[in-house]
Each structure stands twice: as C-alpha cells, then as structure tokens.
Amino acid sequence: MRIFTCTPVAFGGGPDFFARDSGLLCRGLQAIGMESRAVMPGERRPQDEEDLIRTDYRNLESPEWWRAQQLDGVVLYAWGRPKFRRVAAAIRQAGIFLVLNQDNGGLVSTLAGFPGWLREQWILGGQGRDCPSLLRTLKLVLRGISVGLLVSDPLRATHLKQGDAIACVSPVAAAHYRRLCQVYGGNQLAGRVRVIPHPVETRFVCGHMERAPRIVCVGRWQDVVQKRPWLLMDTIGRLVRDDSTVEVVIAGRPNDAMICWHGRLQEDERARITLAGMMGRADLASLLTGAMVFYSPSAYESFGIAAAEALCSGCSVVAARSVSMSAFEWFVSEKSGRLVERDDADGHCAALLAELRAWNNGERNPAAISRVWCGRLHADKVAEQVRGILHAQG
C-alpha cells in the first residue's frame, strides 16, 4: 500500500519535522512496510529529508496531481480548517482514501458543546489575568458566535465531509467531534470519527525500573499564556520547600523571569532545580526514562506530545483538569498519573506531592505504564491503526 501524509503548510522538512506529527507518522508507516512519503508545499530546503515531497500549493488543490501519485491513502494534517477544504476535496476527488487529522481538543465550534467552548475561550484568551486578556476573550467569543457560526462552521463542514475517517487525538476530542459532526452531517458523518493519537518516537521506552524522585517539565516557556511559566515557578518553588528529596528538571529555553527566579532561590533549592535549556531528542529520552513524573502547568494543549513521550518512557503525568487539556484525562487513566483539581500553585503542588507518594507506595509501575502507552502511541502502532482503517473500508 502507498499511504502518504500531507501538511498544507510550508514547515521545515528536516529531522525535527520527522520526529512528530505527520512526519513521524510517515516514518511509522514505513516501519510497518507501507510505501510512504510526506508532502508539503514550497521550495525544497537544504535540510529537507529525501522522502519529503515539496510541490507548488496549487498542486495540493489539484485532483489530477493527487491521482498521478497513485496512492491508496492520505493522512491530511490540516486541522479541519476551512482554508484547506480544497486540498481535502482534491484528494477525495482523486479517489484516494482520506484520513483527516484533527490536532485539537475538539472544542473548535460552539456546536461542539457551548459551555465547554465558552470556557475554552476564557482559557485561550489568558484566563482573565489582565485587561488585555479580558478583551481577547471577548473578541474570541464574539467571533465564535458570529463569523464562526455563519462562515467557519459551514466551511469546516465542507472540509470534514471529504474525509473517509476523521481522526481525533483523544477520546474526549472524539466525543466533541461526534457531537459537531452530528450537526454537520448526521449519523453518517459522526460515524467517521476515530481516535488516532499523535505518534511518539520509538526511542521513548522504559529503560529503567528504578526511578529517582525526579520531576521533568518540557515547554516553550516564552509562550506565557499557554505554558504558564509563572504557575510553574510558583508550584516548583513550593514543591522543593515541602519535599527535601525531590529534583526538578525544566527543559526548554527559559524566559527571563525564570532565569531571575532560579537565581533568587535558596542555594539548596536551586541545586535541586535544573534549567536544562533546549535538549536533543536522545538526551530527553534518557532524562525521562530515569524520572518518576512529567508535570505540565499548561493552560491548554491540543494533545501534549511531551507528556505522551513521558508516558512511553514509564513516567506518570500531572496536569490541570480542564476542558482545554482533554487528552490528559486519557493520559492518567491507566494508573499513570493524576489531574489537578484546584488550578493554582497550591493545588498543583499538592497533586505533585500526592503523585510522588503514589510512586513511593508502589502504586506506580513504570514498565506497566510504558507497555500500555507504547502500545497505543509508538509511531508504528499508530500507523497500524491507519492501515487497519483502510483495510476495514475495503
């Protein structure tokens, strides 16, 4: 079978691209014996891998171009966005089986569930921390109940109706999409919704049973609204004061506030908190396989690939319970972590301390956690899901 992946945005096509999302699924399909390449628009770049096809964007909207590729299937990473509906239509018109990847938590419209959608606008706007965040939230809400309902939803429906399968990255996201698709196209469209998570590199595995009392955090800490480094600092500061044995490694480029905070810590506390900066994939895998807990202070995540990598490595995860962190309800479901019930520094610190106690009491098994999540999330396993859907549809 020939199954390609496609992203209709001109990202870089080097090793980082092939370490996640559509690039990594391409690798997973290759690993199970499929002929697969990734497709993106734009001019070829020096760092592009050989099995990336670059083409003019107009070709992505051409059924003739897609037909010439002689494919059995395409997994399109276009987020269901209306602007890419012609790409989806071209693939479908070419007679190719089309899987539409939805990289979000499912609350993309008021029609997916108004209370949850409204709560998510508050979160995306900045949680009302200042006047600009309140204005952003108001703008998001007004846009969603006007342009969203009148323009975006009909166009998104056109996009989704092109798919033979609508792939959602978590069970909660899939439930939201089934509700949305029921409105867009009844039982027939809702029945196309599937849970197909983002893939994880097979390098992330359980290498050690013995775990240090170590917590790992990974993030783009310059993104203050989403990653909430202010909450990270408050939480970790309390944690190291309450637990004299715990170590914390914070990966990702720290922002200026984090550097100042780290420098002001007491010497013994600072010695147990490492600002590791940017880490290579091999170093991150090595770090995770010796840790107990992965902690995410994020306000929202469409999936949480770093958390998924930690699960495959045998860590448990801790994050806020939120409509905008829907994948984490799944992530903690296999004795593999817990959700924070009170979304402030005290609540997050209490959850981390409880999770460390669970490890010390023998309630967490890194091999069992890794076995479950590698079986669901490793790139070859996700590729097998895609292949299975194509086979089932004949």
Side-chain angles (χ1 to χ4, degrees):
M1 298 180 73
R2 284 169 58 85
I3 307 173
F4 283 12
T5 67
C6 174
T7 304
V9 178
F11 296 126
D16 287 347
F17 172 79
F18 282 94
R20 60 189 300 159
D21 298 350
S22 61
L24 183 54
L25 180 57
C26 172
R27 292 281 189 257
L29 289 164
Q30 292 169 353
I32 63 169
M34 302 294 99
E35 187 176 347
S36 186
R37 299 181 73 180
V39 179
M40 274 198 291
E43 297 293 328
R44 190 155 189 88
R45 305 180 188 184
Q47 72 272 25
D48 285 353
E49 299 275 325
E50 288 189 5
D51 42 5
L52 172 67
I53 296 173
R54 293 278 192 183
T55 189
D56 191 277
Y57 185 86
R58 289 174 296 181
N59 286 332
L60 300 183
E61 297 183 345
S62 166
E64 292 75 19
W65 186 87
W66 283 108
R67 198 173 292 115
Q69 308 310 308
Q70 299 182 314
L71 302 177
D72 298 290
V74 171
V75 182
L76 178 63
Y77 281 71
W79 312 278
R81 290 181 185 170
K83 67 181 292 185
F84 299 125
R85 67 191 184 280
R86 293 187 181 88
V87 178
I91 297 169
R92 184 65 178 270
Q93 290 167 23
I96 300 168
F97 190 95
L98 177 59
V99 178
L100 297 174
N101 177 275
Q102 309 301 301
D103 181 16
N104 55 64
L107 293 171
V108 294
S109 164
T110 62
L111 302 176
F114 185 75
W117 176 87
L118 192 62
R119 176 62 182 166
E120 179 152 281
Q121 306 320 297
W122 171 260
I123 293 168
L124 296 176
Q127 305 96 57
R129 286 175 55 81
D130 51 28
C131 186
S133 74
L134 291 172
L135 292 174
R136 282 196 300 272
T137 300
L138 180 60
K139 182 179 179 181
L140 288 170
V141 171
L142 291 175
R143 181 176 177 82
I145 62 177
S146 58
V147 175
L149 285 171
L150 296 174
V151 180
S152 299
D153 276 298
L155 294 177
R156 184 185 297 109
T158 299
H159 185 150
L160 294 179
K161 287 176 182 178
Q162 307 304 318
D164 295 286
I166 300 168
C168 299
V169 295
S170 71
V172 171
H176 290 316
Y177 263 88
R178 288 190 185 99
R179 186 180 299 113
L180 182 66
C181 288
Q182 188 72 42
V183 177
Y184 284 168
N187 292 335
Q188 183 181 35
L189 188 61
R192 301 180 195 176
V193 175
R194 302 285 189 274
V195 177
I196 302 179
H198 284 317
V200 169
E201 289 180 284
T202 55
R203 73 169 80 223
F204 292 96
V205 293
C206 179
H208 302 288
M209 286 295 291
E210 295 297 322
R211 300 287 170 128
R214 181 178 302 124
I215 294 171
V216 176
C217 313
V218 180
R220 302 182 309 277
W221 305 112
Q222 281 75 22
D223 192 342
V224 175
V225 173
Q226 180 181 0
K227 302 301 181 180
R228 301 197 292 185
W230 51 271
L231 178 59
L232 171 76
M233 291 182 279
D234 286 349
T235 299
I236 297 305
R238 295 167 195 244
L239 179 69
V240 296
R241 288 193 293 272
D242 290 346
D243 186 327
S244 61
T245 65
V246 68
E247 302 174 0
V248 181
V249 179
I250 302 172
R253 187 176 295 109
N255 64 21
D256 292 342
M258 293 170 66
I259 295 171
C260 292
W261 161 76
H262 191 258
R264 291 195 303 266
L265 292 168
Q266 297 287 336
E267 184 175 350
D268 63 320
E269 296 171 357
R270 187 167 59 249
R272 291 185 287 126
I273 302 173
T274 302
L275 297 182
M278 299 299 294
M279 298 185 69
R281 306 294 291 164
D283 290 337
L284 179 60
S286 177
L287 173 65
L288 288 171
T289 199
M292 288 183 176
V293 180
F294 176 90
Y295 168 52
S296 172
S298 293
Y300 55 91
E301 294 284 351
S302 61
F303 181 64
I305 290 178
E309 292 167 345
L311 288 167
C312 290
S313 303
C315 300
S316 61
V317 300
V318 172
R321 183 183 297 278
S322 168
V323 297
S324 299
M325 298 284 284
S326 56
F328 285 78
E329 293 187 28
W330 191 31
F331 289 168
V332 305
S333 65
E334 300 284 353
K335 295 184 179 180
S336 48
R338 70 187 63 233
L339 299 178
V340 179
E341 300 299 337
R342 193 171 80 239
D343 194 24
D344 58 23
D346 284 338
H348 282 240
C349 182
L352 288 169
L353 289 169
E355 191 61 22
L356 290 170
R357 285 195 298 272
W359 277 90
N360 292 332
N361 293 337
E363 299 170 22
R364 297 290 182 261
N365 183 315
I369 293 172
S370 178
R371 182 169 56 252
V372 168
W373 293 104
C374 288
R376 293 174 178 173
L377 303 178
H378 270 177
D380 56 334
K381 302 302 183 184
V382 177
E384 287 173 359
Q385 283 187 262
V386 172
R387 179 176 63 181
I389 291 172
L390 266 71
H391 278 306
Q393 296 297 323

